[in-house]
């Protein structure tokens, strides 16, 4: 079971002004049906059932509001024509992750009918399956979606024991195979200490493109940019998913699988800039925000800053 919860304006707070200088003064609260065309639609995904099934540390269910709280405090540099909406939250009830993903896919598709950019706040990385299905259902057959995942993990685990936060891209690959749709997946920041040899073999079998964490850094920006641009040139649309556990725990301690060996924000920001310039970005989400393990809201601030960066360049 999953329920939809209306946006709570009280979550959005910060310094006040008479010029809408801050994001909490800019953001409107309302259902997707009420949003203006060509706006930005924020939607929460309160679910960490997939993390629990994947034997991870739970707590990401509280991620969406933690991100909202930090984004609201940030400055607003958007023009008056650009509208940003908080469209509410999908809550997972009694561990029914599959129904929650299905509800997410429906709302993502609905936001795209408004020509809005959906930005989904998570929540476990099982967010990716529901988000992708919503994008795919909207564009229909004949168009390709390239997935760009900033992550330490492939998340290509088998669904033999059921879907979880480690299976979304394997599930997408299966769906693509069943539908005769190309599976286009680029993963940036892969760590050998976070993926067993079977996952690497699966990635190779599925023709996944990836850069290891030793290759994904600002010193190798030219190579990273070239890989991203080549990948984007081969697809019609791009879906970006950012798993916060891909970052070093120096930047993102508040995740279910923290590690000091992750990447840094600078290369992610430059990569996002390249993606946005392509004009192919169809949807974006932030996964694995876990306030239980955060320190001084560092991870929530990082997630909010990533969203702030995207919406000010989209």
């Amino acid at each position: 079971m999953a329920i939809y919860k209306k946006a709570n304006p009280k979550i959005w707070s910060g310094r006040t002004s008479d010029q809408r200088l801050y994001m909490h003064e800019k953001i409107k609260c309302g259902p997707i049906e009420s949003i203006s065309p060509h706006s930005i639609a924020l939607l929460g995904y309160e679910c960490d059932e997939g993390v629990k099934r994947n034997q991870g540390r739970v707590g990401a269910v509280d991620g969406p509001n933690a991100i909202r709280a930090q984004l609201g405090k940030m400055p607003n540099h958007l023009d008056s024509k650009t509208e940003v909406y908080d469209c509410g939250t999908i809550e997972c009830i009694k561990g029914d992750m599959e129904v929650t993903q299905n509800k997410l896919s429906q709302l993502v598709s609905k936001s795209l009918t408004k020509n809005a950019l959906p930005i989904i706040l998570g929540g476990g990385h099982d967010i990716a399956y529901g988000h992708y299905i919503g994008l795919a259902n909207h564009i229909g057959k004949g168009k390709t979606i390239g997935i760009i995942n900033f992550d330490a993990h492939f998340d290509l685990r088998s669904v033999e024991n059921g879907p979880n936060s480690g299976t979304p891209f394997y599930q997408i690959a299966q769906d693509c195979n069943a539908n005769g749709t190309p599976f286009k997946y680029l993963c940036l920041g892969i760590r050998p200490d976070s993926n067993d040899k079977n996952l690497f073999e699966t990635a190779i079998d599925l023709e996944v493109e990836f850069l290891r964490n030793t290759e994904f850094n600002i010193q190798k920006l030219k190579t990273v940019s070239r890989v991203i641009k080549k990948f984007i040139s081969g697809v019609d649309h791009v879906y970006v998913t950012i798993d916060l556990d891909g970052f070093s725990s120096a930047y993102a301690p508040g995740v279910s699988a923290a590690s000091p060996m992750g990447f840094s924000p600078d290369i992610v920001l430059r990569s996002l800039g390249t993606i946005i310039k392509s004009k192919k970005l169809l949807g974006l989400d932030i996964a694995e925000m876990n306030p239980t393990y955060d320190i001084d809201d560092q991870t929530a601030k990082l997630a909010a800053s990533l969203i702030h960066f995207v919406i000010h360049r989209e």
Side-chain angles (χ1 to χ4, degrees):
M1 181 178 177
I3 63 171
Y4 167 77
K5 301 191 298 186
K6 293 181 180 179
N8 181 2
K10 293 181 179 179
I11 295 173
W12 298 99
S13 63
R15 292 178 182 269
T16 58
S17 71
D18 58 0
Q19 302 173 27
R20 302 175 81 187
L21 294 178
Y22 301 97
M23 288 302 299
H24 74 93
E25 299 175 311
K26 174 71 172 178
I27 289 172
K28 298 180 179 180
C29 292
I32 288 174
E33 292 83 358
S34 70
I35 68 177
S36 303
H38 306 289
S39 58
I40 295 162
L42 304 177
L43 185 66
Y45 179 79
E46 288 185 353
C47 180
D48 60 5
E49 172 64 21
V51 176
K52 181 180 179 181
R53 297 180 188 180
N54 200 26
Q55 303 177 41
R57 304 188 299 178
V58 297
V61 65
D62 297 317
N65 284 345
I67 298 171
R68 287 179 172 112
Q70 297 306 320
L71 181 60
K73 299 174 185 178
M74 293 182 172
N76 166 38
H77 302 289
L78 297 168
D79 60 43
S80 59
K81 295 180 181 179
T82 303
E83 300 286 4
V84 184
Y85 289 84
D86 181 353
C87 296
T89 297
I90 306 158
E91 181 183 8
C92 180
I93 303 297
K94 296 182 179 180
D96 202 336
M97 182 185 78
E98 290 78 5
V99 171
T100 310
Q101 290 172 316
N102 184 57
K103 183 65 175 178
L104 172 61
S105 70
Q106 293 172 13
L107 293 181
V108 166
S109 293
K110 188 176 292 186
S111 71
L112 292 172
T113 63
K114 293 275 191 173
N115 292 314
L117 173 68
I119 298 181
I120 318 301
L121 316 178
H125 213 171
D126 38 278
I127 194 174
Y129 185 65
H131 193 170
Y132 178 89
I133 295 302
L135 301 175
N137 286 344
H138 174 75
I139 67 169
K141 293 185 177 181
K143 297 286 186 179
T144 55
I145 300 174
I147 304 166
I148 299 181
N149 179 24
F150 295 88
D151 202 344
H153 309 93
F154 284 117
D155 287 341
L156 287 168
R157 294 188 181 278
S158 168
V159 293
E160 181 179 359
N161 296 316
N164 57 56
S165 64
T167 66
F169 304 109
Y170 182 82
Q171 293 174 263
I172 292 170
Q174 286 187 313
D175 287 356
C176 287
N177 182 59
N179 297 330
T181 303
F183 176 57
K184 300 288 187 177
Y185 179 30
L186 170 63
C187 198
L188 302 171
I190 285 295
R191 296 205 317 265
D193 63 341
S194 296
N195 300 270
D196 62 40
K197 64 178 183 180
N198 289 336
L199 290 170
F200 275 94
E201 290 172 0
T202 299
I204 292 170
D205 288 344
L206 293 174
E207 299 182 353
V208 174
E209 299 181 48
F210 61 93
L211 290 177
R212 292 176 173 83
N213 64 320
T214 52
E215 304 167 302
F216 186 60
N217 55 63
I218 202 68
Q219 288 75 28
K220 298 184 179 180
L221 176 61
K222 289 185 178 179
T223 298
V224 172
S225 297
R226 184 167 61 248
V227 169
I228 293 173
K229 288 177 181 177
K230 182 179 179 182
F231 179 80
I232 291 175
S233 69
V235 299
D236 298 299
H237 302 283
V238 175
Y239 157 46
V240 171
T241 179
I242 303 174
D243 190 326
L244 293 169
D245 71 23
F247 289 92
S248 166
S249 53
Y251 306 104
V255 296
S256 63
S259 171
M261 298 300 290
F263 45 71
S264 59
D266 52 4
I267 187 61
V268 175
L269 292 176
R270 296 296 292 270
S271 298
L272 287 172
T274 298
I275 295 166
I276 292 167
K277 285 180 182 178
S278 73
K279 302 297 183 182
K280 292 185 178 182
L281 181 61
L282 191 63
L284 177 140
D285 60 50
I286 306 282
E288 302 291 348
M289 171 63 233
N290 191 329
T292 303
Y293 301 98
D294 210 359
I295 300 172
D296 295 330
D297 299 317
Q298 289 182 37
T299 315
K301 289 175 181 176
L302 172 61
S305 292
L306 292 168
I307 294 169
H308 190 272
F309 178 87
V310 171
I311 65 179
H312 281 83
R313 283 159 180 78
E314 174 59 16

